[in-house]
Amino acid sequence: MQRREGAGAPLFWVHPVGGSTFCYEPFARRIKGHPVYAFQCPLDGEAPQCHTILELAERYRAALPAIEGPLWLAGWSLGGLVCWELARLLTRSGRKVNGLLMIDSTIPTRILPTDEETLNWFLRDLNGGHSLKPEPGASVEARLEAMATGGSLPRGIGIDRARPLFDVFRTNLGTMYDWSPEPGSTPTLILAAREEHTGRRDALEAMWRPLAHGALKVVEIPGNHYTVLEAKYQEGLSATIQQWLSG
């Protein structure tokens, strides 16, 4: 995803755990005055996946287009974590990062989810935040195949598509649980999903405040972790992002 129009410093989005940047396209259309780019995982099952947050950040630093000057970084969920690491890498190399936007990004515990939890989270992510009941089976692969055969997966997704998407999801999820963030100095705005649970804003501030050696602001936005980017919230969220870019 890229839109090159605009005289302002470019904005770079980083994909969430599913690897796709499709969720950011409405904001690329709405945000004015800044070129917009997005980093997406290889989703075809052919290219190798990164296995740590640092590897992802290094891959995207190397992939930055030859644009001089400062830039902005933004990401939802896992994307925010990668942006945090990417901002640190860029700052250390002398590149100015004007600001970092993290949309409901949390630092997970180091307890890896079970295969059952991973499959349930993948299906929910695949289905736009709505849970799907997995079919029984001896393995994750068998259960996905049973769902594809029975037409239980979202429309247009068969096993040939679901299999590499699940591999990307599982690998990216693992990077989150193997990450120990270090302090960063980039000015940071965190948008907390109000409906995720009571006290979400305060929890995210307490989580990130010890690591933020630059300015940190945490504000609430409507929706839960899965719905914050839905169409009904896009106008308000776009205005928030536009205001952040003008700061």
Side-chain angles (χ1 to χ4, degrees), residues 51-58 78 81-82 85 175-176 179:
H51 293 275
T52 68
I53 295 285
L54 181 58
E55 286 180 14
L56 285 165
E58 288 176 334
L78 167 73
L81 309 187
V82 179
E85 199 67 57
T175 70
M176 298 172 65
W179 186 54

Side-chain angles (χ1 to χ4, degrees), residues 190-222:
I190 298 175
L191 303 181
R194 181 183 301 133
E195 296 163 24
E196 185 61 20
H197 61 68
T198 303
R200 182 68 159 185
R201 196 209 73 83
D202 292 344
L204 288 182
E205 179 157 15
M207 180 181 294
W208 289 102
R209 179 65 67 184
L211 295 166
H213 289 186
L216 175 69
K217 184 177 182 181
V218 185
V219 300
E220 286 188 335
I221 56 173

Side-chain angles (χ1 to χ4, degrees), residues 1-5 28 36-38:
M1 181 185 79
Q2 60 178 298
R3 194 206 65 204
R4 299 185 180 184
E5 299 84 8
V36 179
Y37 301 86

